[in-house]
Amino acid sequence: MEQRPVPGRTAGDIPPRPDAADARRRIPRTDTLLRDPRLAAAADRLGAHRVKDAVRRAQERARAGGIAPEQVPRTALDLLPGTASGLRPVINATGVLLHTNLGRAPLSDAARQAALEAAGPTDVELDLTTGARARRGRSALAALRERVPAAGAAHVVNNGAAALVLAATALAAGKEIVVSRGEMVEIGDGFRLPDLLVSTGARLREVGTTNRTTPADYAAATGPDTGFVLKVHPSNFRVTGFTRSAEVSELTGLGVPVVVDIGSGLLAPHPALPGEPDADSRLRAGAALVTASGDKLLGGPQCGLLLGRQDLVRALARHPLARALRVDKLTLAALEATLTGPPTPTARALAAAPDRLRARADRLAAALRADGIDVRAVASAATVGGGGAPGVILPSAALSLPEPYAAALRTGRLPVVGRLEAGRCLLDLRSVPPEDDDRLARAVRSARAAVHEATAQHPAAEGPAAAARPTADGWS
């Protein structure tokens, strides 16, 4: 029977039903919950404030009738993040190996372990034998030089842009930087190379045209006011057709240093990326200095690499700006482990054989279909990303799911980021390490309930996805 307000009370003052009141009385107290061994351990790992907040939210759900009082401890645990950081680990199934929005290169296990070990006190600037101060990051720099034999010296700063800023400031402040108009690039998030260079106090001397710049153009612009000639890899675009660009070897006789920004961090030639510039080759061709990123094709942490002539690198390392741009001990540890350790996830993804990718996709699709999930194994095309190897297509394989899976996977407990193509959600396996296949399958199974719920509420949402089927055998 419906309860009605009594005179003198508002509707909000209606006492709860006896059974609801009894359930609320059974909700565990906060202090009792915080003594739960599982939540106490979480407080040690994540901090008491986060655990108390999760407990409060779980209690509120119980008071609202959303969960039973007995479920409060488990719900509080489920509401806790995996780490004390707001960053959430994701599975990159986009097929873009170096996805900037996902943090570019994933670190190897060796690099992660090295960073963890370096989190405490280390000998980063101390010689343990003599007790005297030592050069910061000396072992990482030695490892970098060993990987690039043509470099007389090496220095590391906090990102690729910082490497170019340091070079421009130390070598060309108040002078001119000669650069081709076709290499005045803009990269992600509105970042423009000309703005960066001008901010250092250097003046830009543009030569040639968008599609053609010859060695004679550089020679005509070089003079006493020239700090250096700059060559910039276009990174994320290509200019084709009636084009001409000067090679590094054609610019070495101009009497000024040639600085080459290769961008992607490839240290030596790679068979899968024949057109991608690498540091060792550019130095052997006559470049005085090469700048690059460490978190791209090198597969390491975010940092900027400077490799080249010993006198120039020494001048950069001793410049006052170098102190503001230096990297921390965690980066140095991860970089060295990347250089000396086993192949990185990026290197493994580049080397993945298409037939092995197809076998993984077939195996995963068969297992998921057995659970009643609409999934097919399909051929796919992956890319390097991160401004590396523009236009290079890497043959791959993917799981093809109905489009609603994209949002359900992205917002799941373990987020999976795929891509939408022809009305389907594709999970490209070239960017997913093989050891993550089981986790990927679990995430797809977990997303199924959310997809079914969304489809039940909006039946039309499945229409385009159902219409876009792959070929009969799953391979186009």
Side-chain angles (χ1 to χ4, degrees):
M1 180 180 294
E2 181 182 355
Q3 289 183 310
R4 298 182 181 277
V6 299
R9 287 182 176 171
T10 65
D13 293 326
I14 297 175
R17 293 176 182 271
D19 55 345
D22 180 65
R24 290 183 181 182
R25 283 194 294 269
R26 290 189 289 112
I27 295 173
R29 289 163 48 95
T30 300
D31 56 350
T32 302
L33 287 165
L34 294 177
R35 287 195 296 270
D36 183 302
R38 297 168 298 174
L39 290 167
D44 291 339
R45 182 169 54 87
L46 303 172
H49 175 75
R50 273 193 171 88
V51 174
K52 286 180 181 178
D53 181 66
V55 164
R56 177 188 56 78
R57 287 188 288 155
Q59 290 170 326
E60 288 175 353
R61 287 190 186 180
R63 293 188 186 103
I67 59 173
E70 295 76 16
Q71 295 175 300
V72 170
R74 180 71 258 174
T75 301
L77 287 166
D78 290 342
L79 289 171
L80 289 171
T83 69
S85 166
L87 295 175
R88 296 184 63 187
V90 306
I91 291 180
N92 174 15
T94 63
V96 180
L97 305 190
L98 303 171
H99 200 300
T100 298
N101 300 141
L102 301 180
R104 292 184 179 161
L107 293 181
S108 66
D109 288 343
R112 296 183 192 193
Q113 184 61 35
L116 181 63
E117 294 290 338
T122 69
D123 60 343
V124 64
E125 287 188 24
L126 179 67
D127 186 326
L128 294 175
T129 302
T130 65
R133 185 168 185 166
R135 186 183 182 190
R136 184 180 183 85
R138 56 202 177 278
S139 57
L141 296 175
L144 187 55
R145 281 197 58 201
E146 187 173 345
R147 288 284 300 272
V148 187
H155 186 65
V156 181
V157 291
N158 55 15
N159 61 32
L164 198 52
V165 161
L166 182 57
T169 303
L171 305 179
K175 295 184 176 183
E176 290 182 344
I177 298 174
V178 178
V179 59
S180 168
R181 287 186 174 89
E183 297 174 6
M184 303 281 278
V185 299
E186 175 181 322
I187 57 177
D189 200 27
F191 179 86
R192 294 181 172 180
L193 179 71
D195 297 339
L196 176 75
L197 295 173
V198 169
S199 73
T200 68
R203 302 187 304 275
L204 297 186
R205 181 73 179 272
E206 301 176 30
V207 297
T209 63
T210 302
N211 60 318
R212 291 181 64 82
T213 305
T214 67
D217 295 321
Y218 289 94
T222 303
D225 262 357
T226 303
F228 60 82
V229 167
L230 176 63
K231 286 283 297 174
V232 181
H233 179 49
S235 293
N236 49 11
F237 71 95
R238 290 188 304 171
V239 178
T240 61
F242 185 57
T243 63
R244 170 73 160 94
S245 64
E247 298 295 331
V248 172
S249 58
E250 296 177 301
L251 304 176
T252 56
L254 298 178
V256 295
V258 177
V259 177
V260 181
D261 178 22
I262 63 170
S264 68
L266 194 62
L267 299 186
H270 193 289
L273 309 170
E276 187 70 10
D278 67 273
D280 197 63
S281 297
R282 291 302 180 270
L283 290 170
R284 292 184 188 280
L289 189 70
V290 167
T291 65
S293 295
D295 58 344
K296 295 182 181 178
L297 285 171
L298 176 58
Q302 177 179 297
C303 59
L305 312 178
L306 294 125
L307 301 146
R309 269 173 32 194
Q310 193 174 61
D311 60 325
L312 293 183
V313 174
R314 184 182 295 114
L316 300 181
R318 296 181 65 85
H319 192 278
L321 185 60
R323 172 77 179 200
L325 302 178
R326 78 178 189 177
V327 294
D328 71 336
K329 60 183 180 178
L330 304 183
T331 301
L332 289 169
L335 174 62
E336 183 177 354
T338 298
L339 293 164
T340 62
T344 66
T346 300
R348 291 166 55 201
L350 279 173
D355 59 337
R356 290 183 178 272
L357 294 171
R358 174 171 178 164
R360 287 172 58 196
D362 284 337
R363 184 171 58 252
L364 284 168
L368 293 170
R369 276 198 304 271
D371 292 331
I373 296 174
D374 175 12
V375 58
R376 300 289 185 274
V378 299
S380 181
T383 59
V384 171
V392 173
I393 300 301
L394 303 171
S396 188
L399 300 179
S400 174
L401 294 154
E403 183 173 349
Y405 271 86
L409 285 164
R410 197 175 58 248
T411 56
R413 185 168 179 80
L414 171 61
V416 176
V417 183
R419 71 177 188 267
L420 291 175
E421 192 171 292
R424 299 282 286 186
C425 169
L426 295 191
L427 305 180
D428 194 305
L429 296 184
R430 187 175 280 273
S431 56
V432 179
E435 57 268 25
D436 276 350
D437 281 359
D438 288 343
R439 293 204 306 157
L440 181 65
R442 287 198 299 270
V444 172
R445 292 185 180 103
S446 297
R448 178 176 51 180
V451 169
H452 286 176
E453 182 179 348
T455 303
Q457 294 176 356
H458 306 284
E462 199 173 7
R469 298 289 184 184
T471 55
D473 65 352
W475 295 90
S476 55

